[in-house]
Amino acid sequence: MKIKKDEIIDLISVHPFVKEEQIRRQFPNTLEIQIIERKPVGLLVCPDGFIQVSEEGYFLSLIRDIGDYNLPVLSGISLDELPGPGQLINNPGLNVALQIIKESPVRLLENIVEINIGNEKHILAYTLEGIEIRLGSMDNISRKLTDLNDILLDFSNNGIDPAKIEYLDLRFSGPPVIKRK
């Protein structure tokens, strides 16, 4: 039986989670297929539920509810046109949310449940404990995210109850504002 390498690549590459594929023949009778998958990094709110998106902005799959996914919900993003699974979502708001995810320390991302890009000059995020994070614009976003991570770590290390914090305001260049309830 003759197997055509190009046909196999075409069949595999249509799957939304497939980022790269390689096929190697090992004579006399072995075909080795290696696949690098796209990983979901966020859940984009849409009218039919949530779209799992990759770090590059690819539509991976549509899910009806969040379930056990430990990924931030990406809200406030206007979706005029929605491509199908496996296609790139070309949306400026989504690109902003993905940049925030990319620049966030891993430990911080584990604590963020939502990133709201309803207004790109007033970006908001929310923690597992319900603290509103006022990030403002993308200016100095790396510093803001590092500061946020340090603040949340300090809360944990010093026994500060997150339920008693209403919001953290990191919009300005000075020290962050911590508003208690």
Side-chain angles (χ1 to χ4, degrees), residues 30-47:
T30 302
L31 192 63
E32 182 181 298
I33 301 173
Q34 289 185 333
I35 294 175
I36 298 174
E37 289 187 353
R38 292 184 177 108
K39 303 266 191 256
V41 297
L43 300 172
L44 177 61
V45 176
C46 74

Side-chain angles (χ1 to χ4, degrees), residues 144-155:
K144 292 175 187 178
L145 294 169
T146 300
D147 289 351
L148 175 58
N149 190 54
D150 293 344
I151 292 167
L152 294 176
L153 192 58
D154 283 348
F155 286 176

